[in-house]
């Protein structure tokens, strides 16, 4: 059957090797491989500043560098490490680079990486409480801690001074999953309420979000089977800084009800991806309450800032929503993946997501006294994600985490002031957190089209230097550059250098 | 605002600390925390054999041991490590224990943990090719390597000698996600084919699987909006060793078509969770072809065995299916989470899952020459999961991986022979891989109920010893013990000890 096969006839079950055959977790290998990995990481972080943020490689480059077929024989771990250094690193977009200003940063910390490493080694699968009591309870505890840092209402917590209520949380992989599971719960509840036989009533359910909402929301709605014709993207404009206008939302919902539809779910965003707009959570909850619609708050990025009292007002009204999610893997120093979802009534989730196969039955689950986290997510299997999140909070404490947020915001503010002080540029929307949306503004006879072209050219040239990576968006029909501060190795000098580079490159473009 | 707040007024932006404020990736901390984590892991693996596999803790135990509120101030990393050792470890179900025989093992290796560690430190988010060319191409390459190890048809691969075809793969978190995304693709294709306006035709679509199929399949169908009344669980029995009978499947599909329904999706399992039954993939594909229904193969556990030629026949017919998924995090030495999905036509996935927000637009994506992996999954964000899987194959090669599978199967075979040689026990279904389903059989005047009770008691007593952890299932109405060999620290002596413990405990039960 080809060269990949070893010969089963020649295979000796309990080992030619003195130590008793192949030992994938041999103590010496574990230590040696992990120490090599730590050395690599240390070197990698040191070299990051000098590496191009965005690589100059063509599609298919890696397949051309590495062998196309898997090896038959084993090789020293050094071989994989060598190929990693020689072929993988040069083709990477370095999200950990201090010169990374694109998208939102994926912030990280020594405590998070260590926690994640231990989780990988323990490799437990805590689908039920019994399958891992400590992992389940650590996750529940970490979520309750974070809820306290965010001053979420007790109704969203697993355990409060008053004991266990109906609220609770779960750590998922992505915001999209948080949206999907709450959409499904809201969908099923609406179908039940409307007396639908099976999913016959599905074509009548409608869902709502501002047009600035992350595209993954609209995708999650389609995944959950909502009719594309009933997925409402409500226009926003500069008059609300691109936040959802509750009056418009109400209008659209009323028109839908008049047309026989059932408003089922509204997604409010605190800190949109495009420009960090903040939808008014409380007013949206009030409008939704008129129709018994589920309100979810997506605070993936900006939720982290709300651990600082001076930003907490962006969540005002959260005590009246049904669910909220935020991702510590974005801005709370916890490596991927880690999205926290809290819901006011966990039964509304588990009603839709519970499974109960024979081989998972156990006394603890039967007692109802425990949380089986598999019933609050898409899958069954799950990493021990609570550990890294808990380690981050345990080690840094509220003080350092707040310092981290404030430092990023201060650097963004500094950058914003630089932009404002230069007549060639404009800040396009007010800066709420650590994202600055700016552009070369039409000046010296430039049209709007010229400006769009100049901004596009500016981004391309900056990114080609390898010394900075910025992404763009379109706000109000204008091509806008997004400068997102916060990569965890970033210091003030990196922001200053990027600004110098932007000024220099802009001058060059203006000359051309 | 309470004790959690640090005072923003007193906050100095660019640091009181000489080094320039809080540095979450400070080089010294990274090295020191990771070395502490490696030491912990090393100690943990060494002590595992003596730790109870299943802990003796009560619901809420951890909340009672650790502080209920997040700390305000930072603490040395040692504090978190100390609480981990003192409070978390004693409450864990140790999946890595050599005495773990429950569920399916989550196998692991030094290479995988090191790869995962590096991924955590790089912390990249390769949603598009441009957002990380190397991570995207490494994932594509790892999937093509594994496809070759499994002898999957070239039509399922990303790149073959003939260039890029329509097939391809993606690494997801769980089998459930693989099922969900393919269900949605099949659903949308069926709606388009039937000329449905929006989702109006959804109540007519039907999906199929054997009653032994993992419960997560039936849940995924509900998530995707299929009508619960049209989710068919087809009965199986001992005459097929609990595998799906294609004749029965055909019968059910024909009856559905006669009733105006549209057969849309069939899930075939290679290695069911309950008893490792193997659905006949080729015959199912033939039946499905009559109705243009999507066939997905769930080979989550047993797929790994198919890298050995002597097990490959279980995938016979896979060249005629639409998609297949398997999870290296189960039996291919790759820590959680890592589920590989291959599809014959990636466009059928991306038609349903593509998003194209402005801030992700880039020349590479526009060219169509690259794979943007976000369009083959639920979410947008994604860990660099390809690295660990590639490192496992690169380091161990086909030979060691096959040795690993064969060693587990040989140990299971040894256990099976032990069971067969003892008149008090029976093997309930033929052993296909490394799972032995066995029970105390009714003997000496025992009724079937007595036997069920004795087996339940046997499991409870075994698990209470802390020296072994087994799960159960119900097959053909009988309570059956599942003995799953393969935890990565397991050696022959652990299997022998478990068997001795089973015999001794059974004797005690028989005496009582």
């Amino acid at each position: 059957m080809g060269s990949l096969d070893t010969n089963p006839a020649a295979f000796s079950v309990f080992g030619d090797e003195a130590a008793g055959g192949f030992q994938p977790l041999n103590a010496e290998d574990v230590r040696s491989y992990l120490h090599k990995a730590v050395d690599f990481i240390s070197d990698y972080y040191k070299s990051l500043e000098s590496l191009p943020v965005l690589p100059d490689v063509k599609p298919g480059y890696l397949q051309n560098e590495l062998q196309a077929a898997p090896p038959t024989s084993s090789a020293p771990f050094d071989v994989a490490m060598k190929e990693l250094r020689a072929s993988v690193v040069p083709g990477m977009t370095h999200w950990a680079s201090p010169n990374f200003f694109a998208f939102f940063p994926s912030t990280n910390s020594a405590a998070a990486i260590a926690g994640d490493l231990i989780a990988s080694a323990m490799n437990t699968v805590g689908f039920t409480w019994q399958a891992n009591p400590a992992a389940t309870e650590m996750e529940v505890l970490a979520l309750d801690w974070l809820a306290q840092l965010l001053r979420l209402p007790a109704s969203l917590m697993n355990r409060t001074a008053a004991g266990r209520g109906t609220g609770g949380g779960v750590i998922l992989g992505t915001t999209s999953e948080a949206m999907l599971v709450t959409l499904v719960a809201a969908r099923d509840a609406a179908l039940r309420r409307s007396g639908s036989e099976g999913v016959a009533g599905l074509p009548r359910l409608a869902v709502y979000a501002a047009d600035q909402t992350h595209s993954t929301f609209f995708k999650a709605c389609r995944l959950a089977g909502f009719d594309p014709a009933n997925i409402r993207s409500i226009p926003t404009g500069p008059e609300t800084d691109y936040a959802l206008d509750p009056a418009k939302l109400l209008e659209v919902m009323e028109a839908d009800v008049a047309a026989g539809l059932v408003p089922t779910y509204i997604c409010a965003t605190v800190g949109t991806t495009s420009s960090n707009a903040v939808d008014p959570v409380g007013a949206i909850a009030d409008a939704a309450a008129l129709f018994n619609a589920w309100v979810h708050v997506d605070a993936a990025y900006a939720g982290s800032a709300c651990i600082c009292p001076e930003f907490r007002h962006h969540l005002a009204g959260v005590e009246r929503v049904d669910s909220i999610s935020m991702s510590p893997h974005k801005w709370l120093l916890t490596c991927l993946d880690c999205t926290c979802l809290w819901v006011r009534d966990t039964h509304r989730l588990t009603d839709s997501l519970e499974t109960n196969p024979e081989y998972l039955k156990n006394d603890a689950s039967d007692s109802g006294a425990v949380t089986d986290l598999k019933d609050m997510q898409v899958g069954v299997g799950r990493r021990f994600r609570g550990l890294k999140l808990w380690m981050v909070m345990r080690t840094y404490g509220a003080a350092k985490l707040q310092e981290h947020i404030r430092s990023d915001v201060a650097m963004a503010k500094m950058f914003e002031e630089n932009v404002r002080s230069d007549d060639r540029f404009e800040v396009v929307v007010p800066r709420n957190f650590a994202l600055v949306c700016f552009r070369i503004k039409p000046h010296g006879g430039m049209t709007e089209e010229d400006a769009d072209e100049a901004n596009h050219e500016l981004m391309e040239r900056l990114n080609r230097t390898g010394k900075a990576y910025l992404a763009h968006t379109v706000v109000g029909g204008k091509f806008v550059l997004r400068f997102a501060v916060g990569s965890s190795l970033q210091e003030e000098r990196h922001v200053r250098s990027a600004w110098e580079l932007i000024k220099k490159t802009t001058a060059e473009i203006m000359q051309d």
Side-chain angles (χ1 to χ4, degrees), chain A residues 60-69 80 82-84 86-88:
Chain A
Y61 97 94
L62 190 64
Q63 277 86 351
N64 298 332
E65 294 209 7
L66 300 180
Q67 55 185 72
K82 195 178 156 194
E83 294 185 358
L84 171 68
S87 299
V88 179

Side-chain angles (χ1 to χ4, degrees), chain A residues 328-349:
Chain A
H329 65 222
K330 281 201 157 63
W331 203 12
L332 210 61
L333 304 182
T334 308
C335 48
L336 287 168
D337 37 17
C338 185
T339 292
C340 299
L341 168 67
W342 294 269
V343 294
R344 200 168 56 180
D345 185 352
T346 55
H347 290 110
R348 292 173 71 186
L349 267 193

Side-chain angles (χ1 to χ4, degrees), chain A residues 130-287:
Chain A
Q130 195 212 32
N132 201 332
T136 300
E137 299 203 3
M138 174 57 84
E139 185 163 330
V140 162
L141 182 76
L143 287 159
D144 280 352
W145 276 20
L146 187 49
Q148 290 172 75
L149 288 181
L150 292 167
R151 289 170 184 71
L152 295 183
S155 56
L156 290 169
M157 290 172 58
N158 293 283
R159 284 190 149 220
T160 62
R164 203 166 160 230
T166 63
V170 62
I171 301 182
L172 305 173
T174 60
T175 297
S176 314
E177 188 180 354
M179 289 170 169
L180 179 61
V181 295
T182 50
L183 275 164
V184 167
R187 178 197 74 187
D188 292 352
L191 288 175
R192 279 193 300 271
R193 276 202 308 273
S194 66
S196 166
E197 191 176 327
V199 297
L202 195 47
R204 288 180 49 233
L205 306 187
V207 295
Y208 308 82
D211 60 1
Q212 298 297 301
T213 306
H214 199 290
S215 56
T216 209
F217 169 71
F218 301 102
K219 172 170 160 180
C221 294
R222 297 195 306 270
L223 290 176
F226 287 95
D227 199 305
N230 302 341
I231 302 171
R232 308 260 171 263
S233 170
I234 299 170
T236 59
E239 68 284 0
T240 58
D241 293 333
Y242 300 95
L244 179 59
D245 176 351
K248 275 195 200 162
L249 168 68
L250 192 58
E251 209 174 287
V252 177
M253 288 196 291
E254 280 170 346
D256 279 347
V257 170
L261 298 183
V262 180
T264 302
Y265 186 103
I266 299 136
C267 179
T269 307
V270 173
T272 60
T273 305
S274 192
S275 70
N276 266 187
V278 176
D279 293 338
V281 171
I284 290 170
D286 293 340

